[in-house]
Amino acid sequence: MIMIQLRPRAAAKYGTAFATALMVLTGCSSGASGLRSTSATGASAPAPSPDPLTWSTCGKDLQCATIKVPQEYTAPEGAQIPLAVMRHRATDPAQRIGSLIFNPGGPGIAATETLRNLPETAGTPGAFSPAVLARFDIIAMDPRGVGQSQAVRCLTDQQRADAAGTSLDPAVPGGKPLPRLLADAAAFTDGCAKHQNKEFLASLSTDNVARDIDQVRSALGEDKITYYGLSYGTVVGPMYATLFPHRVRQMVLDAPVDTNQWFGNSLPFQNDVAVASERTLNAWFKTCRAEGAAVCPFGAGDPEAEFDTLIDTLEAKPLKIAPAEGATPGGELDGAKALEATRALAGDQNTWPLLTSALLAAQKGNGAPFYTLWNSVTVSPFPVPTAMFETHTAVRCADWKTPSGIAAHKAAATKATTEAKRIGPRAAYSALNCARWPAPNKDRVTKPLTGAGAPPALVVAGRLDPVTPHHWAENMTRTMDSAVLLTREGVGHGSYGINSCVDTAVDAALLHGTHPADSTVCKTDTPATTHPFVPAKR
């Protein structure tokens, strides 16, 4: 998600929101959400069979439809919500296998938008091969609360505009003093309660998304589906395989989340993400040092010290950025923005040369490359108040079990900043919104997602993933009744579509149901380098 910060307000204006948030987080308010009750079985009343989908052309080789599903499957005849569905027809219909449903992650990324952009995203994680496109109808469903399926909005346009005006402090846990973070959480969750139906917010859990997928399967007239999930999509997939094991033909889970952690305490979960992101930045530092100043001139052999100095310098005296048509509206590059752009670029070894180029340019007083890259950062594992952040937060809060007491969040902030000194402050206090979420989900599924009865799943994990660390993939293969682990060496989030060895294995799994030997390792196609793309110029 794009990193946008809240504009400072007079301290007096924070008073009421801060007091309310403090009461909730210390358990002194009768309105505190506390721990949510859970469902161990995931049982729900049978949903009525949906009507066949009515398709209309909505782009080159694309068809769109809308399906109505129960808001709550415990009351299938009650309120209905519309979900957007898109289809890319198999390019070789004579050899068509069936329908492949995919979820590109987030949570909050619109699957329909991702499918629409597939021709422009070849070579990026999740891009399907021509062989898969030939033999499957690719089905994108925007999950409830996301994209064209009633995307969650908690802030007003003015609040979003105000959010663009102020930088975070990269040296402060959470980027702001705790009273301001609490006030922000109060304003956000109060906005959710005001602008959204609480019953709808409570229905956004992953188990309902899985049930929605089965409604789409039924409406497509398919007996079984093939599934590919990336990042958060690897929570949706095992949920579907656990609730509907006999409806799964094949399943691939790329950049997997530890589902036990996802449905557990969110604070250790966020800490794992911070540490994983820090490790990818450390990998860039290590590679820069190893390649030497002739290849990586930033820091002249000590990139860590040079980086910390640059961030401090930019924070003390931001660089002014002139508007550039088609690239950036202009503004300023401070330390927090440079750090966020660095976090994103360090998380993919294919963008390491961009990172080196931007660092060198900023060092010489040209902040435009970094600022432009910061503007292009669309997905972040940590919450920041953008439009996508609202849907991202709503889904997480529907699933997560977040402590309501502020002491737990303080302890987690200390742990994050200790274990990940550069990225940890970004993760600190990032679950405050869920601690005071106004629509607790009292019947969410929390049992282990074993997928018992479904075919073996192929689990694909990067060795150094900035969002979903490798040990999460190991935990997933242990949790699932039947799964094969394939590891890709290198740095990056998502492996299918960027690595030829992984592409071959994933295509074989999707098309033929064949898997490599468990614990197979794929080497990187291209060794990582920190060599800058272009010389830095002022």
Side-chain angles (χ1 to χ4, degrees), residues 243-259:
L243 297 183
F244 305 99
H246 302 298
R247 296 302 187 181
V248 177
R249 177 187 162 273
Q250 296 296 329
M251 182 168 288
V252 173
L253 306 169
D254 190 356
V257 174
D258 181 349
T259 54

Side-chain angles (χ1 to χ4, degrees), residues 221-369:
E222 301 280 15
D223 183 57
K224 295 185 177 184
I225 61 164
T226 303
Y227 180 87
Y228 169 83
L230 176 65
S231 195
Y232 167 72
T234 68
V235 182
V236 177
M239 180 68 78
Y240 185 82
T242 300
L243 297 183
F244 305 99
H246 302 298
R247 296 302 187 181
V248 177
R249 177 187 162 273
Q250 296 296 329
M251 182 168 288
V252 173
L253 306 169
D254 190 356
V257 174
D258 181 349
T259 54
N260 295 317
Q261 281 224 59
W262 177 264
F263 294 106
N265 185 335
S266 60
L267 301 183
F269 177 93
Q270 288 292 77
N271 190 79
D272 269 11
V273 177
V275 170
S277 193
E278 186 92 0
R279 284 174 179 159
T280 62
L281 178 54
N282 289 339
W284 183 90
F285 288 139
K286 181 179 179 180
T287 305
C288 181
R289 283 197 312 275
E291 290 188 311
V295 174
C296 180
F298 181 78
D302 191 359
E304 291 97 333
E306 195 78 355
F307 178 79
D308 293 339
T309 297
L310 178 61
I311 295 299
D312 290 344
T313 300
L314 291 172
E315 189 63 20
K317 189 177 180 180
L319 295 174
K320 301 296 182 183
I321 311 298
E325 187 174 353
T328 172
E332 65 177 28
L333 176 73
D334 61 10
K337 292 173 184 173
L339 181 61
E340 174 64 6
T342 296
R343 180 204 61 75
L345 294 168
D348 183 347
Q349 66 187 46
N350 294 310
T351 57
W352 280 5
L354 277 175
L355 173 57
T356 309
S357 299
L359 287 167
L360 291 168
Q363 200 172 43
K364 294 191 175 188
N366 177 9

Side-chain angles (χ1 to χ4, degrees), residues 37-402:
S37 60
T38 62
S39 166
T41 64
S44 60
S49 297
D51 294 330
L53 294 170
T54 301
W55 298 101
S56 61
T57 301
C58 56
K60 188 176 186 297
D61 301 322
L62 297 175
Q63 296 175 312
C64 291
T66 300
I67 184 172
K68 288 190 175 181
V69 299
Q71 178 171 284
E72 280 294 347
Y73 284 87
T74 53
E77 301 295 341
Q80 304 284 299
I81 55 176
L83 303 179
V85 184
M86 183 182 286
R87 175 169 68 177
H88 181 284
R89 298 306 298 267
T91 57
D92 184 0
Q95 299 296 317
R96 178 184 177 276
I97 294 172
S99 292
L100 188 157
I101 295 180
F102 80 104
N103 183 295
I109 297 176
T112 57
E113 182 179 352
T114 303
L115 182 58
R116 185 179 295 280
N117 293 330
L118 268 183
E120 288 79 40
T121 56
T124 60
F128 296 106
S129 70
V132 170
L133 292 173
R135 303 197 62 190
F136 288 101
D137 290 344
I138 307 297
I139 307 297
M141 180 196 80
D142 285 352
R144 52 177 65 201
V146 174
Q148 299 303 308
S149 298
Q150 297 187 188
V152 172
R153 292 291 181 266
C154 298
L155 303 175
T156 65
D157 290 342
Q158 185 61 51
Q159 285 175 310
R160 293 190 198 100
D162 289 345
T166 301
S167 295
L168 301 175
D169 185 339
V172 174
K176 303 178 185 180
L178 183 55
R180 288 184 58 198
L181 293 173
L182 290 169
D184 290 347
F188 182 87
T189 53
D190 288 349
C192 292
K194 178 180 179 181
H195 299 298
Q196 298 286 163
N197 178 283
K198 289 185 179 180
E199 287 73 23
F200 175 64
L201 290 177
S203 80
L204 301 181
S205 55
T206 300
D207 52 293
N208 279 337
V209 175
R211 294 183 182 103
D212 294 342
I213 287 176
D214 203 57
Q215 289 287 286
V216 171
R217 174 204 59 77
S218 178
L220 290 168
E222 301 280 15
D223 183 57
K224 295 185 177 184
I225 61 164
T226 303
Y227 180 87
Y228 169 83
L230 176 65
S231 195
Y232 167 72
T234 68
V235 182
V236 177
M239 180 68 78
Y240 185 82
T242 300
L243 297 183
F244 305 99
H246 302 298
R247 296 302 187 181
V248 177
R249 177 187 162 273
Q250 296 296 329
M251 182 168 288
V252 173
L253 306 169
D254 190 356
V257 174
D258 181 349
T259 54
N260 295 317
Q261 281 224 59
W262 177 264
F263 294 106
N265 185 335
S266 60
L267 301 183
F269 177 93
Q270 288 292 77
N271 190 79
D272 269 11
V273 177
V275 170
S277 193
E278 186 92 0
R279 284 174 179 159
T280 62
L281 178 54
N282 289 339
W284 183 90
F285 288 139
K286 181 179 179 180
T287 305
C288 181
R289 283 197 312 275
E291 290 188 311
V295 174
C296 180
F298 181 78
D302 191 359
E304 291 97 333
E306 195 78 355
F307 178 79
D308 293 339
T309 297
L310 178 61
I311 295 299
D312 290 344
T313 300
L314 291 172
E315 189 63 20
K317 189 177 180 180
L319 295 174
K320 301 296 182 183
I321 311 298
E325 187 174 353
T328 172
E332 65 177 28
L333 176 73
D334 61 10
K337 292 173 184 173
L339 181 61
E340 174 64 6
T342 296
R343 180 204 61 75
L345 294 168
D348 183 347
Q349 66 187 46
N350 294 310
T351 57
W352 280 5
L354 277 175
L355 173 57
T356 309
S357 299
L359 287 167
L360 291 168
Q363 200 172 43
K364 294 191 175 188
N366 177 9
F370 244 145
Y371 190 80
T372 302
L373 291 165
W374 172 78
N375 269 309
S376 70
V377 175
T378 56
V379 178
S380 170
F382 310 119
V384 284
T386 65
M388 181 179 160
F389 165 63
E390 295 161 64
T391 62
H392 187 77
T393 300
V395 175
R396 298 195 309 179
C397 294
D399 275 354
W400 282 2
K401 184 172 72 175
T402 301

